[in-house]
Amino acid sequence: MARTPQPISGFPEWLPAVRLEELRWIDAIRATFERYGYGSIETPAVEELDSLLAKGETDKEIYTVTRLQGDADASEARLGLHYDLTVPLARYVAQHYNELEFPFKRHQVQKVWRGERPQEGRYREFLQCDIDVIDRDELPLEYDVEMPVVLHEALTGLGIPPFRIQLSNRKLLHGFLQELGIPNPVPVARILDKVDKVGLDGIHSMLLQHGLKDPIARRCMTLGSIKTDDESFADQVRELASSTTPNEMLVKGIDELAFVIRSVNDLRPGAAVVDLSIARGLDYYTGTVYEMRLADFEGLGSICSGGRYDDLAGSFINRRLPGTGISLGLTRLFAKLVAEGLIPSERSSPADVLVVLPSEERRADALAAAAALRERGLNVDSYLKPAKLGKQLQYASRLGIPHVWFPPFEDGRPHEVKDMASGDQAEADPASWRPA
Amino acid sequence: MARTPQPISGFPEWLPAVRLEELRWIDAIRATFERYGYGSIETPAVEELDSLLAKGETDKEIYTVTRLQGDADASEARLGLHYDLTVPLARYVAQHYNELEFPFKRHQVQKVWRGERPQEGRYREFLQCDIDVIDRDELPLEYDVEMPVVLHEALTGLGIPPFRIQLSNRKLLHGFLQELGIPNPVPVARILDKVDKVGLDGIHSMLLQHGLKDPIARRCMTLGSIKTDDESFADQVRELASSTTPNEMLVKGIDELAFVIRSVNDLRPGAAVVDLSIARGLDYYTGTVYEMRLADFEGLGSICSGGRYDDLAGSFINRRLPGTGISLGLTRLFAKLVAEGLIPSERSSPADVLVVLPSEERRADALAAAAALRERGLNVDSYLKPAKLGKQLQYASRLGIPHVWFPPFEDGRPHEVKDMASGDQAEADPASWRPA
């Protein structure tokens, strides 16, 4: 073939230095999930197409999977790559219902695939990091509080520019729309959700086109402009609804959202904000909804989504299984920071030390030194070709390996270790040396 | 829909307890890879079909990927799911050639997909754990030694029943077949490689069918029966070849294999064994080859494969880029041990502690205790519904959470912690308590 391969559009791939940092993120995020008691599950990359098409806003994004030289095997299910981790979770809970403990808390860190046209922030393959809790019959609102608290903690310390998790509530939105005399709120909520894509003017004309009168459309848009750090959104909503006896759904939505923002503020001040522009296009959310944006990169859109769903697993099993969850679009966030030069890339090796091989005669000493250092848990790369020392030092330097180890040049002489940052070189014992 | 979903044949999925153990394996394996300086890369799940079909023994196992409602977009590449991690590595090295340091060492832990008919030990989706080293122009044989050493160390301590890595050498095999007057050794090597599937009698008749005379066929089979712990295979091979001046390839193969077994025995006694029945079907191997079997479960077949390839990345780029690598079929091994009841499944939560919520009034104390314990790095599940205590204890017990934390029932009284294994309950301070 011998033509240089080209990247496949929409399928990101990192060089080792960037991947090292991505792994550090994944490890840190998982550690936080586990610190809150969320165990891992993994589901297959594929689901039956019927499952994938049962929920979700669109079917055009699905990749189907077919054997290149498949038999005409009628028993073979039609399969598609999962486009999120929520539908697989619902299927998993339904399938393993009798083997799971409830409340069922799980985290899931896996690739998902969508056949979208690739553009900035949109990938065809990307990594999602999800937590969800599902319980039987009833799930306390306190779990809606836990989602943003855990996710915010998971992302803290990774060097991400300022971000806050945005909270809204589907009951509030639907109740408000009912208050305005809009009997079927879902299509209107979907329009409001497109503000990122089409802007306020776009929303306005879509609402008019949908048949709303201008003053009604403007009140919808005013609702979407409400953003508060605390419960003060509640009075603004009540005033805008201008009803002395608001409907039950609106009251419940306001109460839930007030509880969630108050509780998040108690547990993790500043982690979240109420933002009523958040609607979430997917129609399975029934209460709290989440999104997240980077303050410095609003144009990137939401890098996190989630919310309360009361009937998702129920589409696979005849049980009421309410759940709540939050999902981080890690690739979208991470790739943006890579593009902005905000991801460090000095190191591309996990090694703490490179043991050089000055000459063939010193091979046994070099291997023994490497083994002694590894024995004590250090990550050690060992140069196995007796190349020129300059070349070996350059290799360490280019990979960002912070220390280079020299086995003794003559028997009986001590080992030496060089600190690549300072250039200092000193005697060291492989049985006791530790990096500073 | 409301019909219970069924598993998709060939796509394994674990319950949380088993997944917890699988994650422990993956973490331990990765830690060993990193301890030897192998950094991580990930490649997309898909490659261009042309790349996938360029190498490898068969094309019928490939899953193609198509957008369900794709445009008739001629520019869209034909894509397939990768069926191993070696072809993607070769493509990666060719594509990023100018941005990588050499020798390029990487590990890769990813799912791969093959459209095979599912059966025991054969999955359509499975996890592979690979390490490879690729260098320019020349790669010392010492890296062929490092592969089984690292893999053996990675698998030690996981509770796997006895295993040894089997070594052979393609030069030895091809040179030997040439010595017998077989001009094109590849098809014969492929027949010998099928001993797992068709048995010795099967091999025998296939060799005869291929046109070999019976005594020649028998000598091929005798070669395949040679198994030694050390270099003593060399004399047996020379005797069987019964040539006073064996061809260069045979001599080189014997020397290489003798070097590798001797060196592995030096570094990690007992990790490997010479087994000349190993041929490896894939035709890109050019020297050392590896397989691995569990002594107690021979019928499972090989759970590890790899070897030296001198021209794999070269099929994408006009450079000589020799490499060597080893690949663990984690799912095949792990799933077998699950089926045999050899994987512990007492714990299905990562939590060290469950903080119970005895009543709504104690919620703030319970949350504060959980936060204090997490602050110190403990994994803490927090029961957020004020259910009956018995139910909460049962939850901890069923998930295998080893400790249950009771926030004080009245202000000023101490916290208590219960050891679920012994049943002991004692006062404890969330700011200082540690599990035993």
Side-chain angles (χ1 to χ4, degrees), chain A residues 27 30 71 105 117 381, chain B residues 27 30 71 105 117 381:
Chain A
D27 289 345
R30 176 182 142 202
D71 321 335
K105 302 172 71 165
R117 195 161 289 280
D381 194 358
Chain B
D27 289 345
R30 176 182 143 202
D71 321 334
K105 302 172 71 165
R117 195 162 291 279
D381 195 358

Side-chain angles (χ1 to χ4, degrees), chain B residues 24 38 45 71 90 93 113-114 116 130 133 141-142 172 174 229 243 256 310 312 320 334 360 394 396 402 405 413 420:
Chain B
R24 188 178 77 83
Y38 290 79
D71 321 334
V93 168
W113 294 271
R114 294 184 191 176
E116 296 188 78
D130 285 27
V133 187
L141 202 56
E142 279 80 4
L172 184 157
H174 287 194
D229 286 341
S243 160
E256 287 184 3
D310 279 330
L312 194 55
R320 190 177 147 77
F334 186 77
E360 189 57 47
Q394 190 184 57
W405 193 275
R413 286 197 51 188
M420 294 294 281

